[in-house]
Amino acid sequence: MKTADPTMARAINDRLALDLLLERGPLTAPQLRALTGLSRPTVSDLLERLRAGGLIEIVGETGSDRRGPNARLYGLVSGRAHVAGVDLRRDAVHVAVADLAGGETGSASRPLPPDPDLAALVAGAVGEAAGGRALHTVVLGTPGLVDPRTGAVTGSGVPGGRPDLGAALRDALGTRVRLENEVNLGAIAEHREGAAAGSDDFALLWLDDGVGGALVLDGRLRRGASGGAGEVGLLKFGGADFCRLLDAAAVAGLGSETVAARIAEAVFVLVAVLDPGLVVLGGALGRAGGDRLAGLVADRLGPLSPAAAEVRASRVEGDAVLRGAVLTALDLVRDDVFGYESFSG
């Protein structure tokens, strides 16, 4: 079995300490020893190494209410790097900027005119939200298919959309840019902080100005060969496109029972083919319908499918796509700034 050499062992210990500071906030050296099981000299060395690298700093002391020396509190240097998440809609673009610790430091929104210079408009919104801060990584969620290999976008329906939007934004912003299907980012947010937290397998049915789906299996987002995994909006029911059956105009004035019956048809396809065990209803319609709509869909799903599946409404607060974009960008910047991501023998 492969073992870690001293350099790799130091990298593993450093990442462990940094992740604990992210999760728990400032900690003392004794607290880090207790949480990691590392020795006093090892923790002392890693703290000095991380301070010298500009990743942590002394942020205070504990023990001011007792006699004896106080213990130093170490915290992340949250301003070491900043990221931006972008939610590109067909009528607007929304941006949130966060520091290394995940604290929001800026935001911006701009409407999309009928025929914009999309790269310039998005770059302007990102620059406004950044407020002069240099950005390490930008993650943008967009409608349409995003090729996992090339990043090319097709079928977005966004005014001014172009297949090479990612490359154009990289040139405009001068930083790393990653494009992702917006429903996939919504699924990341649900998995980390929402209705699917703690679930290794689930499907997200996105019910918004567009209809789509995303899949997380064995704890990993699945995109498919061309980026189209989970795109149930392309299905037809009774000769009609499913996305047309559940757009705002189609459901206006319909009762909850009728809307639930339509949604159950698409949920059944996801359950029958993938058996995810959990389906989350996201987007504006899924959030607005809440637990009542989710319950109605589950009632109609039961007789259709022998595979058991729970149906839940989205639980991500605010813009799930924007939150998923920020979380993805934070993962990328932390892997770069913190260094070693994981170790397996």
Side-chain angles (χ1 to χ4, degrees), residues 19-56:
D19 285 342
L20 283 168
L21 291 171
L22 266 176
E23 177 186 351
R24 296 172 180 259
L27 296 169
T28 64
Q31 288 171 330
L32 281 169
R33 291 199 300 271
L35 290 167
T36 63
L38 298 173
S39 67
R40 181 188 297 267
T42 298
V43 169
S44 178
D45 287 346
L46 76 82
L47 287 173
E48 289 305 312
R49 189 164 55 246
L50 294 176
R51 285 186 67 195
L55 290 172
I56 66 171

Side-chain angles (χ1 to χ4, degrees), residues 207 256 260 263-264 267 278-282 285-301 309-315:
L207 305 165
S256 298
I263 295 173
V267 172
L278 170 64
V279 177
V280 177
L281 305 182
L285 179 57
R287 290 196 305 271
D291 292 339
R292 181 172 184 274
L293 179 62
L296 291 172
V297 172
D299 290 343
R300 280 148 187 78
L301 179 65
E310 186 178 358
V311 182
R312 299 177 188 167
S314 170
R315 294 176 188 165

Side-chain angles (χ1 to χ4, degrees), residues 23 33 55 57 105 168 171 179 188 235 243 246 323 341:
E23 177 186 351
R33 291 199 300 271
L55 290 172
E57 60 187 349
T105 60
D171 291 341
L179 264 60
I188 289 171
L235 296 173
C243 59
L246 282 170
R323 185 58 184 158
E341 179 180 7

Side-chain angles (χ1 to χ4, degrees), residues 8-236:
M8 184 176 290
R10 285 193 295 270
I12 295 171
N13 292 339
D14 289 356
R15 183 62 190 258
L16 177 59
L18 289 166
D19 285 342
L20 283 168
L21 291 171
L22 266 176
E23 177 186 351
R24 296 172 180 259
L27 296 169
T28 64
Q31 288 171 330
L32 281 169
R33 291 199 300 271
L35 290 167
T36 63
L38 298 173
S39 67
R40 181 188 297 267
T42 298
V43 169
S44 178
D45 287 346
L46 76 82
L47 287 173
E48 289 305 312
R49 189 164 55 246
L50 294 176
R51 285 186 67 195
L55 290 172
I56 66 171
E57 60 187 349
I58 298 171
V59 297
E61 294 183 342
T62 63
S64 58
D65 58 343
R66 61 176 174 80
R67 294 182 178 180
N70 298 333
R72 292 174 172 178
L73 275 169
Y74 296 90
L76 286 174
V77 179
S78 58
R80 171 68 181 270
H82 290 81
V83 301
V86 182
D87 179 9
L88 179 60
R89 300 294 179 97
R90 295 180 175 92
D91 61 352
V93 58
H94 308 288
V95 184
V97 171
D99 61 26
L100 189 60
E104 184 171 315
T105 60
S107 62
S109 293
R110 292 188 180 182
L112 264 62
D115 188 22
D117 180 340
L118 191 59
L121 188 148
V122 173
V126 170
E128 178 185 345
R133 301 178 183 88
L135 296 175
H136 180 283
T137 299
V138 176
V139 173
L140 180 146
T142 175
L145 302 187
V146 179
D147 190 302
R149 297 160 297 178
T150 67
V153 184
T154 57
S156 71
V158 174
R162 48 192 289 186
D164 65 340
L165 179 60
L169 281 174
R170 281 191 291 273
D171 291 341
L173 294 169
T175 192
R176 175 168 64 175
V177 176
R178 173 176 291 189
L179 264 60
E180 181 64 83
N181 172 265
E182 93 274 35
V183 184
N184 285 348
L185 293 177
I188 289 171
E190 292 292 350
H191 193 215
R192 297 276 285 275
E193 301 178 348
S199 299
D200 287 338
D201 304 295
F202 78 98
L204 172 65
L205 181 60
W206 187 254
L207 305 165
D208 211 283
D209 61 342
V211 175
L215 309 173
V216 171
L217 302 174
D218 296 325
R220 294 177 54 198
L221 178 70
R222 306 293 177 168
R223 297 176 177 84
S226 60
E231 288 294 346
V232 293
L234 303 175
L235 296 173
K236 291 184 180 293

Side-chain angles (χ1 to χ4, degrees), residues 260-336:
R262 292 187 181 186
I263 295 173
E265 296 282 355
V267 172
F268 169 63
V269 173
L270 292 169
V271 172
V273 174
L274 299 166
D275 189 19
L278 170 64
V279 177
V280 177
L281 305 182
L285 179 57
R287 290 196 305 271
D291 292 339
R292 181 172 184 274
L293 179 62
L296 291 172
V297 172
D299 290 343
R300 280 148 187 78
L301 179 65
L304 295 175
S305 175
E310 186 178 358
V311 182
R312 299 177 188 167
S314 170
R315 294 176 188 165
V316 176
E317 295 185 6
D319 185 334
V321 175
L322 194 58
R323 185 58 184 158
V326 170
L327 289 170
T328 301
L330 287 171
D331 286 344
L332 293 170
V333 70
R334 288 167 183 166
D335 286 346
D336 280 357

